[in-house]
Amino acid sequence: MRNFSPPLRDIRFITHEVLAAVPTLREIGRYAQLDEQTLDSVAAEAGRFCAERIAPINAAADSVGCRWRDGEVQTAPGFQQAFHEYVRLGWPALGVEERLGGQGLPRIAFSSLNEMVAAASHAFVMISAINHCAVACLQGSAAPTLQQRWLPEIVSGQVLTSMCMSEPQAGSDLGLIRTRAVLRPDGSYGVRGSKIFASGAQHDLSDNIVHLVLARVDGAPAGTRGLSLFLVPKLLDGGQPNQLTCTGIEHKMGLHGSPTCGMYFDDAQGWLVGELHGGLKALFPMMNEARLLSGLQAVGIGEAALQAAQQYACDRRQGRAGAGAQEPSRLVCHADVQRMLLTQKAWTEGARALAYWVAMLIDEAQLHPDDARRHQAAELLALLTPVVKGFLTENAQHSTSLGLQVFGGHGYIAETGVEQLVRDVRVTTIYEGTTGMQAQDLLMRKVLQDGGRRLQLLLGCMGRWMDAVDGAHAVQPYLGQVRELQSRLLCVTRHLQARHDRRPESVHGASAAYLRLMGHAVLSWLWARMARQAMDAEPADAWYAMKARTAGFYFTQLLGETLALEQAALADHEDCAGLLESAMA
């Protein structure tokens, strides 16, 4: 069984030294009394719980997993007890406003919690964090009576939730959904249809589960414009079961501890959330929250893989590093192992900086008293959400794979727990919109649709910070690389805008490369910020020295990928569907 050590110093470094979260968040009335000690205490207690209660049950989550029988799902050994303790300690309510029964802490505290839960057990965070997404949905669109009935129990964790969107014939194409909803005399709806890939739609962790179900009413327009959202509880008021059944759980490549359910709604009673035919609009806050949580999962699982690989590399002796070595060297002394560990560190620690910055933007966009600040944060958030979801999760695939590689053959067997991380993290690039979908959303909707206005806002934010850095500071060479990449990103954007204006479909093939190019543009800026803090810290502190060394590695070894990405984005992309089909004939 692998161990998990909460990365508290890294969390404090990003929260206080790089992002200066407390003075920024104090501008928001709700957080006027916030102090560093509060955030540090929350992270420390969350880390302790994750290390002591969640990490020990993760191996069984994989080896035993969830079991389905006669419509009921039994979770992995230890999950019931750990989740009930998680609820008792109030962790589900950490970031929810106090008037709803929450603790009213900022999103950056919620982020540190869920990063560490994901590091301890990806399956557990799939269950523990979903209610946060549902609260965002119901707060934004549900009628007051629905909110009063369900939000207190959802916030506390007494009732859990699920998203029921996909169907066998639809997958990610929600316009193909066939589930129907028929108005009843009492104002509720009867919901009938089949759903697949519904995480946590049946389990034994709570007596009741609230399903948020996309369906169509009679006469609804075709496609996504005709979808409505319905709240469908497992148990109705009075405790009687609703007319719905779990038809089975998926047997997946990984994430065995999270029940991914097939569901059948057989005229189940539900209530409309939001407006008729406004299902995607109502569900959008929940989907957005889930996408940002995917980025935090990438951070957590990447951290777990890094910790395991670094510990093994420092303990294991094999081969001889350097000329004249007489005894087997520790793996960490080998140059290629250092390359792999530094790559893991660059992706994971950079991802944490981006995810936590975005967490602060969420609070600013929702709560800042200044209208202009709220608008700017909302615009940045719209631009960065697909980057968090697409870029960070793709990097986590590479990072966890390198972690396994450090272990060599011992990483490929189950005892070390590393191969589980590789399998578990794989789904993060798939669910809540694949990387390709995020890339098209970024390029087509968030950049080209507004003529690059949001992009200019982002680059301006980055530029102001760089302009404020002393011209003689040792970080200036990195800033030169960041500025040069920004210039190339703008050139690519202008080229794609011109091509899009002539023929919109011609730029779709550039979207994946563009997303990675944008990801590097943001990550390079954040690594420059981290490098500056590390360089200005105590020079004898090896921890800061390692941070500065990792920044240097990122700029010299990983940022060069952007040259290839630029060429890929600028190249013409011809439709070769016919050739691919012919090749199969």
Side-chain angles (χ1 to χ4, degrees), residues 8-25 34-41 43 108 356 360 529 533:
L8 298 180
R9 189 166 185 183
D10 275 288
I11 289 172
R12 287 195 299 270
F13 175 69
I14 293 299
T15 302
H16 305 311
E17 298 179 54
V18 177
L19 298 178
V22 169
T24 301
L25 291 170
L34 184 69
D35 55 39
E36 292 186 5
Q37 184 179 2
T38 297
L39 293 181
D40 291 347
S41 297
I108 203 164
Y356 284 27
M360 291 174 61
R529 293 181 65 172
Q533 291 301 126

Side-chain angles (χ1 to χ4, degrees), residues 386-466:
V387 177
V388 170
K389 171 59 174 72
F391 187 62
L392 300 193
T393 57
E394 287 287 347
N395 293 341
Q397 314 299 309
H398 188 206
S399 184
T400 53
S401 181
L402 288 176
L404 188 152
Q405 188 76 6
V406 170
F407 276 80
H410 290 283
Y412 200 64
I413 59 177
E415 283 85 345
T416 59
V418 181
E419 56 85 35
Q420 179 191 349
L421 297 175
V422 175
R423 289 183 288 106
D424 283 0
V425 78
R426 188 63 188 86
V427 74
T428 60
T429 63
I430 299 171
Y431 57 32
E432 312 311 336
T434 63
T435 304
M437 294 172 68
Q438 302 303 320
Q440 289 201 25
D441 176 51
L442 172 67
L443 179 58
M444 305 299 290
R445 296 188 184 91
K446 305 301 175 54
V447 176
L448 300 184
Q449 195 171 82
D450 74 353
R453 180 179 50 81
R454 291 190 188 94
L455 176 60
Q456 290 287 357
L457 184 64
L458 172 65
L459 297 182
C461 174
M462 296 161 63
R464 285 189 294 276
W465 180 88
M466 291 189 289

Side-chain angles (χ1 to χ4, degrees), residues 122-366:
H122 190 185
F124 196 93
V125 82
M126 291 292 293
I127 296 168
S128 64
I130 187 63
N131 276 19
H132 174 84
C133 305
V135 168
C137 169
L138 296 178
Q139 269 193 286
S141 298
T145 52
L146 276 185
Q147 293 192 40
Q148 292 162 11
R149 167 64 185 89
W150 292 108
L151 278 180
E153 294 182 3
I154 293 172
V155 167
S156 69
Q158 180 183 345
V159 168
L160 284 170
T161 57
S162 81
M163 275 193 292
C164 293
M165 300 192 299
S166 297
E167 297 181 3
Q169 79 289 344
S172 298
D173 189 352
L174 300 181
L176 300 178
I177 282 176
R178 298 173 183 164
T179 297
R180 312 298 297 183
V182 178
L183 182 64
R184 293 177 169 182
D186 63 0
S188 66
Y189 287 78
V191 178
R192 186 185 301 273
S194 296
K195 298 290 183 178
I196 60 171
F197 300 157
S199 296
Q202 180 60 279
H203 50 69
D204 56 6
L205 302 182
S206 62
D207 292 334
N208 205 356
I209 302 169
V210 164
H211 308 284
L212 292 169
V213 186
L214 283 176
R216 300 181 187 281
V217 299
D218 289 343
T224 56
R225 294 183 303 110
L227 294 175
S228 301
L229 183 65
F230 299 90
L231 183 154
V232 184
K234 175 183 176 181
L235 300 178
L236 300 170
D237 289 345
Q240 66 269 35
N242 208 346
Q243 296 299 110
L244 53 88
T245 305
C246 174
T247 57
I249 55 176
E250 304 295 342
H251 302 284
K252 308 186 293 288
M253 171 182 172
L255 208 54
H256 300 152
S258 171
T260 307
C261 302
M263 298 293 297
Y264 181 65
F265 297 87
D266 188 12
D267 196 31
Q269 188 173 16
W271 287 265
L272 181 68
V273 176
E275 301 174 352
L276 276 177
H277 317 319
L280 286 188
K281 179 182 177 182
L283 196 60
F284 184 75
M286 187 172 189
M287 295 167 66
N288 243 16
E289 292 286 354
R291 288 165 179 162
L292 295 169
L293 277 168
S294 297
L296 285 172
Q297 291 166 15
V299 178
I301 300 169
E303 174 68 30
L306 170 60
Q307 286 189 17
Q310 193 163 354
Q311 185 63 58
Y312 187 77
C314 290
D315 293 342
R316 174 78 169 176
R317 290 185 176 272
Q318 190 172 334
R320 287 161 178 78
Q326 300 299 313
E327 299 293 332
S329 303
R330 289 176 298 134
L331 289 178
V332 74
C333 297
H334 292 276
D336 196 56
V337 172
Q338 294 175 25
R339 174 191 64 82
M340 291 188 285
L341 292 174
L342 285 167
T343 302
Q344 287 184 269
K345 287 177 70 64
W347 288 140
T348 301
E349 294 168 13
R352 180 180 292 113
L354 176 53
Y356 284 27
W357 179 43
V358 166
M360 291 174 61
L361 288 175
I362 295 172
D363 274 326
E364 288 189 54
Q366 295 176 352

Side-chain angles (χ1 to χ4, degrees), residues 510-551:
S511 56
Y514 189 87
L515 182 142
R516 286 201 65 78
L517 196 62
M518 173 86 74
H520 273 293
V522 179
L523 209 65
S524 63
W525 173 64
L526 289 167
W527 263 117
R529 293 181 65 172
M530 288 187 276
R532 181 194 181 191
Q533 291 301 126
M535 290 172 180
D536 289 346
E538 174 56 50
D541 189 327
W543 190 90
Y544 283 117
M546 186 70 255
K547 193 68 68 177
R549 178 68 186 86
T550 306

